[in-house]
């Protein structure tokens, strides 16, 4: 089986026969195959040798071949595959509550393509649009998905998704003291990179105790979700005297 790249096309050959052949009119001269234009950050460092070779891109990501030379090393690694991906936000959102003493939080129960058919608990996640700062992206996603505004948006940190292959950065947030609102976030027809999930999502409300149990039991199956939830549970906002309403 061979994957062959030609001028404006890609073909899959099996046993000497072309079984798939498709043309792609690249929107960028620098990429071999393009499904769209990637407008996010493109990563290089002082360890990058020369200009990376772009193999494939879409509006979501760009897969490149880097040549890398580390300090105190004489050799150059020329087949270092790297994925540029839009930076993202993850947000644990406190649910409005006026009737219960223990604080409540919203999570989803859903499956995703890479979860082997399993169902996971999940929190809000979304792509930062080009030029958007993390806290504004977090507020926008919370407003879009939960229709609430939150008095406090606590940054939990900025984390690389994969230290060897990139995949962008994730900014974790805890959104506290939230209230329902009728505000809208964008005009109809506005072009965005991020899109709504196509998989089914069931919204659930958990108490703080239930949230702690879910994190402890590994119910958040994506590392970004589990990282954000665990850091939120360690934040002073949810520890000690502030874990309950007065």
């Amino acid at each position: 089986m061979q994957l062959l790249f030609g001028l404006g096309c890609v073909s899959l050959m099996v046993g000497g026969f072309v079984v798939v052949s498709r043309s792609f009119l690249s929107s960028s001269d620098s990429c071999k195959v393009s499904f769209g234009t990637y407008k996010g950050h493109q990563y290089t460092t002082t360890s990058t040798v020369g200009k990376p070779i772009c193999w494939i891109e879409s509006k979501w990501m760009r897969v490149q071949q880097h040549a890398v030379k580390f300090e105190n090393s004489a050799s150059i690694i020329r087949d270092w595959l790297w994925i540029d991906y839009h930076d993202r936000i993850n947000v644990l959102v406190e649910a409005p509550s006026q009737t219960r003493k223990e604080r409540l939080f919203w999570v989803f129960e859903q499956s995703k393509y890479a979860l082997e058919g399993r169902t996971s608990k999940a929190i809000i996640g979304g792509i930062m649009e080009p030029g958007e700062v993390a806290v504004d992206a977090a507020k926008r996603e919370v407003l879009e998905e939960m229709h609430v505004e939150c008095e406090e948006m606590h940054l939990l940190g900025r984390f690389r998704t994969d230290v060897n292959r990139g995949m962008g950065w994730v900014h974790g947030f805890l959104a506290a003291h939230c209230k329902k609102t009728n505000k809208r976030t964008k005009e109809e027809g506005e072009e965005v990179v991020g899109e709504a999930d196509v998989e089914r999502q069931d919204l659930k409300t958990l108490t703080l105790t239930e949230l702690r149990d879910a994190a402890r039991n590994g119910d958040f199956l994506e590392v970004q979700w589990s990282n954000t939830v665990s850091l939120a549970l360690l934040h002073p906002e949810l520890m000690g005297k502030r874990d309950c309403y007065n």
Side-chain angles (χ1 to χ4, degrees), residues 174-237:
L174 166 63
H177 309 294
C178 305
K179 296 180 180 179
K180 284 285 187 179
T181 181
N182 293 321
K183 288 185 179 179
R184 298 180 61 182
T185 58
K186 63 178 182 291
E187 299 295 330
E188 293 293 333
E190 182 180 349
E191 183 180 359
V192 295
V193 177
E195 296 176 353
D197 288 329
V198 296
E199 300 95 342
R200 174 176 171 177
Q201 293 178 313
D202 295 322
L203 184 63
K204 304 292 183 180
T205 303
L206 301 184
T207 65
L208 184 57
T209 298
E210 291 170 335
L211 183 68
R212 286 173 174 153
D213 289 341
R216 187 180 301 113
N217 294 335
D219 293 342
F220 295 89
L221 297 181
E222 186 185 61
V223 67
Q224 299 173 64
W225 299 334
S226 59
N227 178 67
T228 299
V229 171
S230 297
L231 289 173
L233 291 171
L234 293 173
H235 192 277
E237 176 67 31

Side-chain angles (χ1 to χ4, degrees), residues 56-68:
I56 187 168
E57 72 169 342
S58 71
K59 72 173 185 177
W60 303 100
M61 67 182 68
R62 174 175 284 207
V63 180
Q64 299 190 103
Q65 177 184 343
H66 287 208
V68 177

Side-chain angles (χ1 to χ4, degrees), residues 2 11 17 27 49 58 101 126 134-135 139 152 166 198 227:
Q2 291 179 293
S11 300
F17 295 94
S27 59
V49 179
S58 71
K101 184 177 181 181
V135 67
K139 291 177 180 179
E152 300 177 14
V198 296
N227 178 67

Side-chain angles (χ1 to χ4, degrees), residues 75-202:
S75 61
I76 298 177
I77 304 171
R78 298 191 179 276
D79 59 351
W80 193 291
L81 292 183
W82 182 265
I83 302 174
D84 285 317
Y85 194 93
H86 296 277
D87 290 350
R88 300 172 301 290
I89 56 88
N90 268 202
V91 190
L92 175 64
V93 181
E94 182 178 10
S97 176
Q98 298 177 349
T99 59
R100 299 188 61 161
K101 184 177 181 181
E102 189 171 8
R103 300 175 75 164
L104 304 176
F105 297 86
W106 276 325
V107 301
F108 296 111
E109 286 187 355
Q110 65 182 74
S111 184
K112 299 290 282 186
Y113 180 66
L115 289 182
E116 303 171 326
R118 293 186 291 170
T119 298
S120 174
K121 286 185 170 56
I123 57 176
I124 286 180
I127 285 175
M128 294 167 55
E129 298 296 331
E132 191 175 33
V133 298
V135 67
D136 289 342
K139 291 177 180 179
R140 173 179 55 77
E141 289 286 348
V142 169
L143 185 56
E144 287 176 359
E145 297 201 31
M146 300 301 189
H147 308 291
V148 296
E149 288 186 310
C150 304
E151 294 178 8
E152 300 177 14
M153 193 71 70
H154 300 285
L155 176 63
L156 304 171
R158 174 177 177 262
F159 304 95
R160 174 61 86 181
T161 307
D162 188 311
V163 293
N164 286 319
R165 303 300 170 203
M167 289 296 297
W169 295 83
V170 178
H171 301 74
F173 288 90
L174 166 63
H177 309 294
C178 305
K179 296 180 180 179
K180 284 285 187 179
T181 181
N182 293 321
K183 288 185 179 179
R184 298 180 61 182
T185 58
K186 63 178 182 291
E187 299 295 330
E188 293 293 333
E190 182 180 349
E191 183 180 359
V192 295
V193 177
E195 296 176 353
D197 288 329
V198 296
E199 300 95 342
R200 174 176 171 177
Q201 293 178 313
D202 295 322

